[in-house]
Amino acid sequence: IVNRGILSGDETLVRTYFHQFLNGLEHLHSQSVAHLDLKLDNLVCGENFQLKIIDFDQAQSTKDSNILTKGSLNSRAPEVITQKCKSLVAADMYSLGVVLFAFQAGEYPFYEIHGENGVEIAYSAMFNERNEEFWKMRTAGFRNKTLFNEDFKELINGLLKKDPTVRWNIEQIKASKWYNGPTYQDKYLQKYMKARFDTIRCKKEISQRTRSQ
């Protein structure tokens, strides 16, 4: 499972899986399908550690004029949440940006807060209105201060634009500096990910044995 923390810490690995993710999404859109529920839980690794997009329960035709989907607010485009979406493709691009942030950081950029006035999305307003402050605040929470370099921030800022009419599309992503950085070849990726998962599994087993003693 491609989940929180497994990819973070290796930008080349993050970029490699983002390429696979984008290719899968581009194929869906070419078939006039919008996923509309892109999040970490709906991405898995196949036998050869190739990324797969799953769970199409919320999917609709890109030609639909009405959004029917609801769901996890912290990975949905603002216009989907408010039921004012006019471009299902642009809505998927927003969720793509949220997931890319999670690939890199091991956590989502925004959080759901349940209060007396309903559910709010923490940090979303800061991202849109005080973008530099958002990045300073998020960077301060990580030991690795180079996690969010300028090329990465440019791509995330383009994908998470509140206005879907100026949100980045696939062509703009592929032209970006961060996207065109180094990636791992398939054979190396398989060996590397197997070793990475084996290490994680070993740490979990040691932790479980320690707690049981």
Side-chain angles (χ1 to χ4, degrees):
I1 296 175
V2 181
N3 213 324
R4 294 168 177 80
I6 292 180
L7 304 185
S8 59
D10 185 335
E11 186 170 77
T12 301
L13 182 63
V14 169
R15 188 181 295 106
T16 300
Y17 275 109
F18 182 69
H19 277 218
Q20 293 183 16
F21 188 14
L22 187 65
N23 288 340
L25 186 59
E26 185 174 24
H27 174 72
L28 290 179
H29 289 173
S30 73
Q31 302 301 308
S32 299
V33 175
H35 189 280
L36 298 177
D37 196 18
L38 296 170
K39 55 185 179 180
L40 292 176
D41 292 343
N42 289 338
L43 301 174
V44 299
C45 280
E47 183 177 351
N48 294 321
F49 294 102
Q50 297 296 306
L51 189 71
K52 297 180 182 295
I53 302 172
I54 63 170
D55 194 352
F56 289 81
D57 290 348
Q58 307 290 338
Q60 293 182 225
S61 168
T62 56
K63 301 176 183 178
D64 287 348
S65 57
N66 295 319
I67 289 285
L68 305 176
T69 182
K70 297 181 180 179
S72 303
L73 300 183
N74 57 3
S75 60
R76 299 294 176 89
E79 66 272 17
V80 173
I81 295 173
T82 59
Q83 298 288 295
K84 296 180 180 179
C85 181
K86 296 182 179 180
S87 172
L88 278 67
V89 170
D92 269 352
M93 301 312 292
Y94 184 94
S95 298
L96 178 75
V98 170
V99 173
L100 172 58
F101 185 102
F103 276 4
Q104 183 82 327
E107 59 186 47
Y108 286 124
F110 313 126
Y111 300 93
E112 293 182 24
I113 297 179
H114 298 263
E116 295 180 356
N117 298 323
V119 182
E120 298 180 358
I121 309 299
Y123 305 133
S124 179
M126 181 187 292
F127 180 88
N128 291 297
E129 300 167 8
R130 306 187 307 277
N131 189 260
E132 290 187 13
E133 182 180 339
F134 168 86
W135 285 112
K136 287 180 181 178
M137 181 272 298
R138 297 302 268 131
T139 301
F142 292 94
R143 181 178 301 176
N144 180 5
K145 302 305 179 183
T146 65
L147 191 66
F148 304 130
N149 58 54
E150 293 303 315
D151 292 343
F152 181 80
K153 289 193 291 185
E154 179 189 39
L155 178 52
I156 293 295
N157 285 340
L159 287 171
L160 299 188
K161 287 183 179 296
K162 186 176 182 179
D163 183 352
T165 64
V166 294
R167 192 173 297 150
W168 279 23
N169 57 32
I170 289 178
E171 290 73 22
Q172 289 171 296
I173 295 171
K174 290 185 175 181
S176 69
K177 291 182 179 179
W178 188 88
Y179 180 87
N180 286 287
T183 58
Y184 292 133
Q185 295 182 352
D186 287 347
K187 290 185 177 179
Y188 178 82
L189 178 66
Q190 293 173 23
K191 294 180 180 179
Y192 181 41
M193 286 300 290
K194 184 180 184 304
R196 201 172 176 94
F197 271 91
D198 287 346
T199 299
I200 293 172
R201 188 180 301 110
C202 182
K203 288 182 178 179
K204 287 184 177 179
E205 290 176 353
I206 293 174
S207 177
Q208 290 173 352
R209 287 199 299 268
T210 301
R211 288 197 299 267
S212 63
Q213 291 177 353

